[in-house]
């Protein structure tokens, strides 16, 4: 099987943030439809299309549980049931506002301040659903290691199948693929006034989203949203 699942944060699909993010990337992961990308002063259409190709494949999101193939003996129905149960035990919350940030060679929305609740939610997703994750192939491990991992990241890769989880987790919603610094400067300068309205208020965290990829060359689609329904003051993980 080459299909994969991922547990992501995605804003409400009626929100202005969702509308901006999906249009900027040029694809709606809920419907699978290609979307006309916005005309941004100082950026030509071809440049924007190329710069957003990598995140367009994954859909607008922030990763909580990175993409994984199902482990032998586990099934999508079991994963969906477990995710619904997990979401029922988590309380919705308001995370810090968003801001534009550089993550190495790509641009993303990030939280303007650290947030223990978001970190706990991501850690809970990684840990609670690891029983559904098939071990990565040697080819997948080799691909991850090409980035030049630290000792900590290598240990996380060995334990969780991904090097940027748990203590290495940083919430982000990718807006570009890997680009030269000059290109990142151009995009950041052009987007800063456009994204102001999305960076002015706390970020509502009210649901978890299950994304699915039919095969490795296929784009990810949002197949189910799970509302956070817990009443705890803090998230459990």
């Amino acid at each position: 099987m080459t299909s994969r699942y991922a547990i992501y944060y995605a804003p409400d699909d009626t929100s202005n943030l969702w509308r901006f993010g999906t249009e900027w990337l040029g694809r709606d992961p809920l419907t699978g439809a290609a979307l006309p990308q916005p005309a941004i002063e100082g950026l030509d259409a071809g440049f924007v299309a190329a710069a957003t190709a990598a995140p367009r494949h994954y859909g607008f999101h922030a990763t909580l549980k990175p993409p994984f193939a199902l482990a032998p003996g586990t099934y999508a129905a079991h994963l969906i049931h477990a995710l619904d149960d997990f979401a029922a035990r988590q309380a919705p919350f308001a995370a810090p506002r968003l801001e534009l940030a550089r993550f190495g060679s790509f641009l993303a929305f990030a939280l303007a301040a650290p947030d223990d609740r978001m970190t706990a939610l991501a850690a809970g997703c990684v840990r609670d659903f690891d029983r559904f994750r098939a071990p990565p192939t040697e080819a997948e491990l080799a691909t991850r290691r090409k980035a030049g991992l630290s000792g900590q990241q290598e240990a996380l890769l060995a334990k969780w199948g991904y090097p940027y989880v748990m203590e290495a987790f940083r919430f982000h919603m990718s807006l570009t693929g890997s680009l030269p610094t000059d290109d990142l400067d151009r995009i950041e300068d052009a987007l800063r006034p456009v994204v102001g309205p999305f960076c002015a208020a706390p970020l509502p965290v009210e649901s978890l989203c299950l994304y699915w990829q039919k095969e490795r060359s296929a784009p990810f689609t949002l197949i189910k949203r799970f509302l956070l329904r817990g009443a705890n003051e803090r998230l459990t993980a």
Side-chain angles (χ1 to χ4, degrees):
M1 293 293 290
T2 58
S3 64
R4 293 191 297 174
Y5 294 85
I7 301 171
Y8 290 159
Y9 166 80
D12 185 279
D13 53 76
T14 64
S15 69
N16 289 331
L17 176 60
W18 173 265
R19 187 173 302 111
F20 167 78
T22 56
E23 290 179 356
W24 167 253
L25 296 184
R27 185 174 67 86
D28 185 341
L30 185 60
T31 65
L35 300 175
Q37 292 181 278
I40 305 291
E41 186 176 355
L43 303 176
D44 66 76
F47 173 72
V48 171
T52 55
R56 180 161 56 249
H57 181 75
Y58 291 89
F60 189 53
H61 76 280
T63 298
L64 299 175
K65 174 73 172 176
F68 59 95
L70 287 176
T74 63
Y75 300 92
H78 299 155
L79 173 62
I80 290 170
H81 177 78
L83 188 49
D84 186 60
D85 180 68
F86 179 84
R89 294 183 280 110
Q90 312 304 318
F93 62 97
R97 65 178 181 84
L98 296 174
E99 64 179 6
L100 289 176
R102 303 280 181 96
F103 285 76
S105 61
F106 67 93
L107 186 69
F109 280 128
L111 297 181
D115 188 81
D116 290 344
R117 297 161 301 179
M118 186 69 80
T119 300
L121 181 62
C125 288
V126 170
R127 183 172 53 249
D128 280 36
F129 298 97
D130 206 54
R131 66 189 187 275
F132 292 100
R133 176 180 64 86
T137 65
E138 288 301 319
E140 289 170 333
L141 292 173
T143 297
R144 293 296 177 198
R145 289 171 174 140
K146 286 180 181 178
L149 303 180
S150 67
Q152 178 196 60
Q153 291 165 344
E154 180 65 34
L156 292 168
L157 177 65
K159 184 169 184 177
W160 304 109
Y162 194 73
Y164 309 113
V165 295
M166 299 303 193
E167 57 267 35
F169 169 76
R170 289 183 65 194
F171 176 94
H172 64 278
M173 307 180 77
S174 296
L175 297 173
T176 74
S178 180
L179 296 172
T181 300
D182 288 350
D183 288 344
L184 288 177
D185 290 341
R186 285 178 58 196
I187 294 174
E188 187 171 1
D189 289 345
L191 282 185
R192 193 166 297 284
V194 176
V195 304
F198 313 118
C199 299
L203 178 70
V205 181
E206 299 171 333
S207 65
L208 297 171
C209 293
L210 184 63
Y211 278 53
W212 175 67
Q213 181 188 40
K214 184 177 181 180
E215 57 187 12
R216 298 304 172 95
S217 62
F220 279 81
T221 57
L222 196 172
I223 60 172
K224 192 169 180 64
R225 186 182 291 270
F226 301 83
L227 295 180
L228 304 184
R229 309 187 297 281
N232 296 330
E233 187 170 318
R234 293 179 62 82
L235 289 171
T236 60

